[in-house]
C-alpha cells in the first residue's frame, strides 16, 4: 500500500491546489499537510502491527473524498462571452434545427461582435465531413473541430471545448482536477475556424474526411445527442479522458465498435497518420504532401462578412479518393 501513497498524495495535492477555494498561502498549507501526513503514514505502515498508518490514511482520504464529491459541474457561472451559450439541436425528419450557433465577428481576442443564431439545415443536402486541426503548441498538440458540409447552406462546425469563465485561461494540469466544464459549441466556420487561423495565430489544417453520406449523417446525429445531453446535464472536462478528441472518438466508436482506441487520439496533432491508416483521409498522395496541403493560414484572412471563406480554404485541398461506410 505504501507504494500507492506517492501517486495518491500527488493527486490530492493537485486537487487541493487547483480546487480548494482559498488564497494561495492556505492552499500551500493544505498541500503541505497532505504531504506530511503521507510521509508519517508511510513510516507507520512499515512498522509491523502498527495500524496508525492505516487510520491516518483512511481519515485523510475520507475527508478529501467527501470534499471532492461536493464539486459539481454547473451551467450557472460567469462565462466568457464566447462561451455564454452551448448548442442544442433537434432533428425533425430531414430538418435539423440548431440553437445557439455562434457567429462572432472577431477583430481581436477582446474586440468582437457577438451573434448567437438559430439555424436550420436540410439533412438531405448533407454531403461530407471535414476535420480541422488547429495546432497551438507544436506538431503533437492541436484542437479538433468537425465541420459538416451542405449543398444549400454554409458548413456547420462543432467544437468540443472547455467552457471558460471570465478571466480564466486553459491549463492542461488544471484540466485533471474539475477545473472546467465541458462545452459543445456549434458555430459558423467564419467564426470558430477563422478566429484560430487569424486572430489567435494558430496553424489550422483542413482534412477532408472520407465517409459516406449515411455515416456523415449518423455522426451529425451523435453530435446532436451529445450536445443535448450536455445541455441537460453539465459535465466536467478532463485533460486525458474527456477532451476534444476523446469525445469524438466515443461518438465514432458508438457508430462502429471496430474503431480502436489509439495513442494518437490523445495527441490530436498526430491524427492524420491514424486516419490515413484507416482510410478516413485521402491515400492518393503521401501523408507528408497531404499535411503540407492542409494549411489554411495563407488564405484564411478576408474582410467581414467574408462569404467565400469556407469555399476559399477548401480550394487547394486534396479530395478523398472514395467513401468509407462505417
Amino acid at each position: 500500500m505504501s507504494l500507492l501513497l506517492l501517486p495518491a498524495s500527488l493527486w490530492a495535492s493537485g486537487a487541493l491546489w487547483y480546487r480548494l477555494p482559498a488564497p494561495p498561502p492556505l492552499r500551500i498549507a493544505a498541500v503541505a499537510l497532505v504531504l506530511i501526513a503521507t510521509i508519517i503514514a508511510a513510516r507507520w505502515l512499515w512498522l509491523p502491527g502498527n495500524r496508525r498508518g492505516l487510520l491516518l490514511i483512511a481519515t485523510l482520504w475520507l475527508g478529501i473524498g467527501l470534499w471532492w464529491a461536493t464539486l459539481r459541474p454547473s451551467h450557472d457561472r460567469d462565462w466568457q462571452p464566447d462561451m455564454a451559450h452551448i448548442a442544442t439541436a433537434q432533428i425533425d425528419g430531414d430538418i435539423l434545427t440548431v440553437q445557439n450557433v455562434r457567429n462572432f465577428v472577431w477583430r481581436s481576442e477582446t474586440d468582437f461582435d457577438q451573434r448567437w443564431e438559430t439555424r436550420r439545415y436540410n439533412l438531405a443536402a448533407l454531403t461530407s465531413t471535414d476535420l480541422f486541426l488547429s495546432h497551438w503548441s507544436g506538431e503533437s498538440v492541436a484542437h479538433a473541430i468537425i465541420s459538416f458540409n451542405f449543398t444549400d447552406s454554409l458548413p456547420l462546425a462543432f467544437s468540443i471545448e472547455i467552457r471558460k469563465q471570465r478571466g480564466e485561461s486553459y491549463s492542461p494540469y488544471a484540466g485533471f482536477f474539475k477545473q472546467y466544464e465541458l462545452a459543445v459549441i456549434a458555430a459558423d466556420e467564419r467564426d470558430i475556424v477563422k478566429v484560430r487561423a487569424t486572430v489567435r495565430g494558430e496553424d489550422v489544417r483542413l482534412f477532408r474526411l472520407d465517409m459516406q453520406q449515411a455515416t456523415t449523417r449518423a455522426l451529425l446525429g451523435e453530435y446532436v445527442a451529445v450536445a443535448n445531453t450536455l445541455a441537460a446535464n453539465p459535465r466536467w472536462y478532463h485533460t486525458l479522458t474527456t477532451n476534444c478528441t476523446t469525445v469524438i472518438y466515443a461518438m465514432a466508436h458508438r457508430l462502429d465498435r471496430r474503431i480502436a482506441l489509439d495513442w494518437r487520439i490523445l495527441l490530436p496533432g498526430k491524427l492524420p497518420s491514424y486516419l490515413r491508416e484507416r482510410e478516413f483521409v485521402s491515400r492518393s498522395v503521401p501523408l507528408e504532401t497531404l499535411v503540407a496541403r492542409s494549411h489554411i493560414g495563407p488564405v484564411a484572412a478576408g474582410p467581414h462578412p467574408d462569404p467565400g471563406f469556407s469555399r476559399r480554404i477548401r480550394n487547394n485541398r486534396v479530395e478523398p479518393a472514395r467513401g468509407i461506410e462505417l
Side-chain angles (χ1 to χ4, degrees), residues 50-118:
N50 192 324
R51 297 183 179 180
R52 290 181 298 174
L54 289 175
L55 180 60
L56 178 58
I57 288 298
T59 303
L60 178 66
W61 279 97
L62 178 61
I64 292 175
L66 290 175
W67 163 71
W68 189 249
T70 66
L71 303 180
R72 308 301 294 272
S74 173
H75 288 320
D76 186 19
R77 303 195 194 279
D78 185 17
W79 306 113
Q80 291 187 179
D82 59 327
M83 292 290 162
H85 303 285
I86 57 176
T88 57
Q90 299 79 40
I91 296 176
D92 183 8
D94 280 338
I95 301 302
L96 168 66
T97 303
V98 186
Q99 292 84 23
N100 297 323
V101 177
R102 202 180 76 192
N103 187 22
F104 282 26
V105 177
W106 297 85
R107 289 174 290 275
S108 73
E109 286 275 31
T110 57
D111 182 14
F112 46 81
D113 299 329
Q114 301 182 47
R115 293 192 182 95
W116 296 95
E117 303 170 349
T118 295

Side-chain angles (χ1 to χ4, degrees), residues 79-80 82-83 85-86 102 106 134 143-146 157-164 170 180-187 191-193 195-196 200 202 223 230 235-238 242-245 247-248:
W79 306 113
Q80 291 187 179
D82 59 327
M83 292 290 162
H85 303 285
I86 57 176
R102 202 180 76 192
W106 297 85
S134 188
H143 178 72
I145 298 170
I146 293 290
F158 282 98
S159 181
I160 310 294
E161 303 195 11
I162 63 169
R163 197 175 186 187
K164 287 185 285 190
Y170 175 68
Y180 313 109
E181 277 84 0
L182 193 68
V184 175
I185 301 297
D191 172 344
I192 205 160
V193 174
V195 69
R196 290 177 176 272
R200 298 180 185 174
E202 298 178 9
Y223 266 101
L230 185 62
R235 183 180 178 186
W236 292 116
Y237 169 93
H238 191 278
T242 313
N243 57 47
C244 68
T245 51
V247 174
I248 296 173

Side-chain angles (χ1 to χ4, degrees), residues 209-212 278-279 282-283 319-325:
L209 295 183
D210 189 353
M211 300 188 302
Q212 292 186 356
R278 287 152 181 81
E279 299 185 342
S282 175
R283 295 175 63 90
E319 296 297 329
R322 61 185 180 84
I324 300 295
E325 180 69 56

Side-chain angles (χ1 to χ4, degrees), residues 20 25 44 48 55 84 94 116 120 123 145 160 165 177 181 189 193 198 216 266 270 282 307 326:
L20 191 65
W44 284 346
L55 180 60
D94 280 338
W116 296 95
R120 290 176 175 80
L123 294 179
I145 298 170
I160 310 294
Q165 300 177 56
F177 301 106
E181 277 84 0
E189 288 183 349
V193 174
T198 56
T216 295
L266 303 178
K270 301 297 184 181
S282 175
L326 290 182

Side-chain angles (χ1 to χ4, degrees), residues 3 13 34 36 43 46 48 52 74 93 119 126 165 181 204 257 274 325:
L3 295 177
S13 298
V34 168
I36 292 171
R43 294 189 64 180
W46 281 102
R52 290 181 298 174
S74 173
R119 293 187 178 184
L126 179 64
Q165 300 177 56
E181 277 84 0
V204 181
R257 298 292 178 178
Y274 171 83
E325 180 69 56

